[in-house]
């Protein structure tokens, strides 16, 4: 198991331990006002910016990487590209297994993390694509033919033993089998990095370690490399931010009480986007990267805002939250194994109708609405 100290716990409780992430982050020069985590009563509605949703992209770290891969496939008609840091392929926890019994949680903890240490095989891209095709045929997700146009960034650190390379490489194989041209897939796997998102700040952890806050100084601005691949026309990053960080009422996008999502989400809005139509990039944090764990560090210190500010990209930071009872998600992970589903035998986390998936899509739709429109 990736977490030997948890083997004495009942299997149902292991969901809390899927990923051990908590950022600390680069501290680039900024004049944008820092937004502290807000209570729902303090957060206004997410404004409409008439964003160009045809150029929407996503990225994430670990559980956020799995969520990015999941969202990109389920909503492939909307998503133009995905950046996946130490994450695995779509529906990873659904294989192996056959309905009516698929051990989603067990798969998530073994097949989808460090299969070698668990003495199991890594996920099989061909099986997962077959499942995606079936879901698309049933109209549970968008047509997988859309995957051919997506650009994909993948990352696996050579010192990462939490989510290992054999898992990450299956994302690339999934896309290749789906018909995505090789030129659109970038796989970075040579950096001596632990399980973390990477920066060029000497205030962060050494590159090779895997420990809190799981943001490592590798002399490499990973957010920049991701966005450069997803948007090849990028201008140099801003050294001083001119836009604004906003807190918004995320609860209005959540359809049930089992979401394990925070009442408040965050977004960085470049100044140009107040009057022009901008692209949107969605960033999914990992476990223990919630505002309860680290305050505002994930959405202010990982390097995305500096790139976005100079390139008319709205950065959306949806927020999961710890849930100590039900759904059981005390470390605030994104759901890629079914903890938000009432029926564990037939979960919906991977579908467009999944609670978290639908909420994030609602946020995108709001950003794409005509200015001054009301939800």
């Amino acid at each position: 198991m990736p977490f030997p100290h948890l083997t004495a716990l009942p299997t149902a409780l292991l969901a809390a331990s899927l990923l051990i992430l908590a950022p600390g982050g680069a501290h680039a020069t900024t004049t944008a006002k820092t937004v502290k985590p807000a209570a729902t009563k303090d957060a206004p509605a997410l404004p409409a910016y008439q964003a160009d949703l045809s150029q929407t992209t996503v990225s994430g770290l670990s559980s956020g990487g799995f969520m990015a891969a999941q969202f990109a496939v389920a909503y492939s008609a909307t998503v133009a590209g995905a950046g996946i840091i130490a994450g695995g392929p779509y529906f990873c926890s659904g294989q192996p297994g056959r309905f009516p019994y698929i051990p989603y949680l067990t798969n998530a903890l073994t097949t989808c993390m460090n299969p070698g240490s668990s003495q199991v095989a890594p996920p099989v891209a061909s099986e997962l694509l077959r499942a995606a095709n079936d879901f698309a045929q049933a109209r549970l997700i968008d047509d997988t033919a859309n995957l051919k146009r997506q650009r994909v960034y993948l990352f696996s650190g050579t010192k990462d033993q939490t989510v290992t390379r054999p898992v990450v490489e299956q994302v690339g194989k999934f896309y290749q089998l789906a018909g995505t041209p090789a030129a659109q897939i970038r796989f970075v796997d040579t950096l001596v990095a632990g399980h973390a998102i990477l920066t060029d700040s000497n205030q962060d952890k050494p590159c090779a370690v895997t420990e809190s806050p799981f943001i490592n100084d590798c002399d490499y601005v990973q957010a920049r490399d991701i966005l450069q691949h997803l948007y090849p026309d990028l201008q140099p990053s801003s050294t001083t931010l001119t836009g604004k960080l906003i807190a918004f009422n995320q609860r209005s996008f959540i359809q049930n009480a089992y979401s394990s999502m925070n009442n408040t989400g965050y977004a960085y809005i470049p100044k140009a986007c107040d009057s022009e139509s901008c692209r949107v990039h969605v960033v999914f944090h990992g476990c223990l990267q919630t505002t309860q764990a680290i305050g505002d560090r994930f959405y202010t210190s990982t390097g995305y805002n500096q790139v976005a500010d100079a390139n008319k990209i709205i950065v959306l930071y949806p927020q999961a939250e710890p849930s100590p009872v039900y759904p059981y998600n005390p470390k605030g992970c994104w759901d890629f194994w079914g903890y938000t589903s009432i029926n564990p035998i037939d979960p919906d986390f991977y579908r467009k109708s999944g609670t978290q998936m639908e909420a994030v899509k609602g946020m995108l739709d709001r950003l794409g609405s005509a200015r001054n429109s009301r939800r």
Side-chain angles (χ1 to χ4, degrees), residues 51-338:
D52 178 6
L53 298 187
S54 70
Q55 299 188 68
T56 299
T57 57
V58 297
S59 67
L61 166 64
S62 210
S63 78
F66 282 94
M67 186 65 176
Q70 185 169 283
F71 193 88
V73 174
Y75 284 104
S76 61
T78 298
V79 177
I84 298 163
I85 308 167
Y90 173 80
F91 199 55
C92 185
S93 66
Q95 187 270 329
R98 291 291 182 270
F99 185 83
Y101 179 68
I102 297 175
Y104 293 101
L105 176 57
T106 300
N107 289 341
L109 288 166
T110 57
T111 302
C112 300
M113 295 189 68
N114 189 332
S117 70
S118 301
Q119 298 183 329
V120 298
V124 179
S126 59
E127 293 291 326
L128 299 174
L129 180 59
R130 184 176 296 112
N133 288 334
D134 289 343
F135 299 149
Q137 187 173 11
R139 299 189 177 183
L140 299 175
I141 66 174
D142 288 341
D143 190 342
T144 54
N146 296 318
L147 299 176
K148 296 176 183 179
R149 69 182 179 86
Q150 290 186 354
R151 298 182 66 83
V152 183
Y153 167 99
L154 305 172
F155 181 83
S156 180
T158 63
K159 294 295 185 179
D160 189 346
Q161 293 300 304
T162 305
V163 178
T164 55
R165 190 187 190 283
V167 176
V168 182
E169 69 182 359
Q170 289 300 311
V171 184
K173 290 183 180 180
F174 178 97
Y175 273 94
Q176 289 170 1
L177 290 171
T180 308
Q184 293 170 204
I185 302 172
R186 173 168 165 76
F187 194 171
V188 180
D189 63 348
T190 58
L191 291 178
V192 185
H195 191 68
I197 189 169
L198 311 182
T199 74
D200 64 351
S201 171
N202 58 16
Q203 298 180 58
D204 294 324
K205 292 289 182 178
C207 189
V209 305
T210 295
E211 60 184 62
S212 182
F214 303 96
I215 290 187
N216 293 1
D217 174 21
C218 295
D219 297 323
Y220 172 65
V221 184
Q222 193 161 49
R224 171 77 197 186
D225 199 24
I226 291 171
L227 291 173
Q228 183 72 70
H229 180 67
L230 302 185
Y231 300 117
D233 62 345
L234 287 192
Q235 299 299 311
S237 303
S238 296
T239 56
T240 300
L241 297 180
T242 61
K244 58 190 174 186
L245 280 161
I246 64 170
F248 65 89
N249 183 350
Q250 186 173 260
R251 175 57 52 185
S252 63
F253 300 99
I254 301 169
Q255 301 302 313
N256 68 50
Y258 308 111
S259 69
S260 195
M261 292 180 69
N262 201 296
N263 289 334
T264 305
Y266 302 88
Y268 180 74
I269 314 295
K271 186 176 181 180
C273 302
D274 287 332
S275 57
E276 300 180 47
S277 180
C278 292
R279 302 174 282 197
V280 182
H281 183 72
V282 184
V283 187
F284 295 102
H285 62 73
C287 306
L288 294 179
Q289 291 188 325
T290 63
T291 56
Q292 290 91 337
I294 61 167
D296 67 4
R297 296 190 71 183
F298 183 79
Y299 57 85
T300 62
S301 304
T302 47
Y304 286 98
N305 299 342
Q306 286 74 19
V307 184
D309 189 75
N311 289 282
K312 300 178 184 178
I313 301 171
I314 295 171
V315 187
L316 177 66
Y317 297 98
Q319 297 292 308
E321 70 174 2
S323 177
V325 184
Y326 186 80
Y328 193 71
N329 180 36
K331 295 190 177 183
C333 305
W334 289 102
D335 185 10
F336 68 95
W337 69 96

Side-chain angles (χ1 to χ4, degrees), residues 341-353:
S341 300
I342 296 175
N343 183 357
I345 295 177
D346 186 24
D348 63 358
F349 65 93
Y350 57 88
R351 305 175 188 175
K352 293 171 66 173
S353 61

